[in-house]
Amino acid sequence: MKKKGIIAVVVVVIAVAVGVYLLARPKPLGSMHNSYSEQTTAVSDISFFGDANQRIRFSFRSDIVCGELDIILSDSAGNEVCMLDQADELEKLFTLNSSDTYTLTARCTDFVGKYDVSVYKAD
């Protein structure tokens, strides 16, 4: 009987921990992922609203076989405010200067490979 009580408590604690994680995990402001097996020139983008002095986190992964991939964050006027470095894996924090609608653009030129980029609130 004592073993059943201990097992029940352990199961409840695990269930509560999983629930807390699912509720507290960061939700992306936006994300993009594409895979190209033939040379492709394409542009993909996502937009999100950001507040002044808000910190955001970029999570970027890529496997570039050939070609170029530029990941650029711009404001609503089209001004580039941040460009991600090319890397296999990158986590980068950035502070937004003003409240605005921002666009994250993935620009592929003669690109073969795959990428995955997400933007999260860092605070």
Side-chain angles (χ1 to χ4, degrees), residues 46-63:
I46 55 169
S47 295
F48 62 92
F49 184 79
D51 293 318
N53 299 316
Q54 178 181 355
R55 288 171 34 100
I56 58 173
R57 178 175 54 92
F58 296 101
S59 178
F60 173 65
R61 285 160 186 51
S62 68
D63 180 17

Side-chain angles (χ1 to χ4, degrees), residues 21-64:
Y21 168 75
L22 291 175
L23 291 173
R25 72 176 183 223
K27 293 173 182 63
L29 296 169
S31 63
M32 289 185 286
H33 49 276
N34 282 306
S35 179
Y36 301 104
S37 58
E38 296 180 5
Q39 279 193 338
T40 303
T41 298
V43 176
S44 300
D45 60 32
I46 55 169
S47 295
F48 62 92
F49 184 79
D51 293 318
N53 299 316
Q54 178 181 355
R55 288 171 34 100
I56 58 173
R57 178 175 54 92
F58 296 101
S59 178
F60 173 65
R61 285 160 186 51
S62 68
D63 180 17
I64 300 172

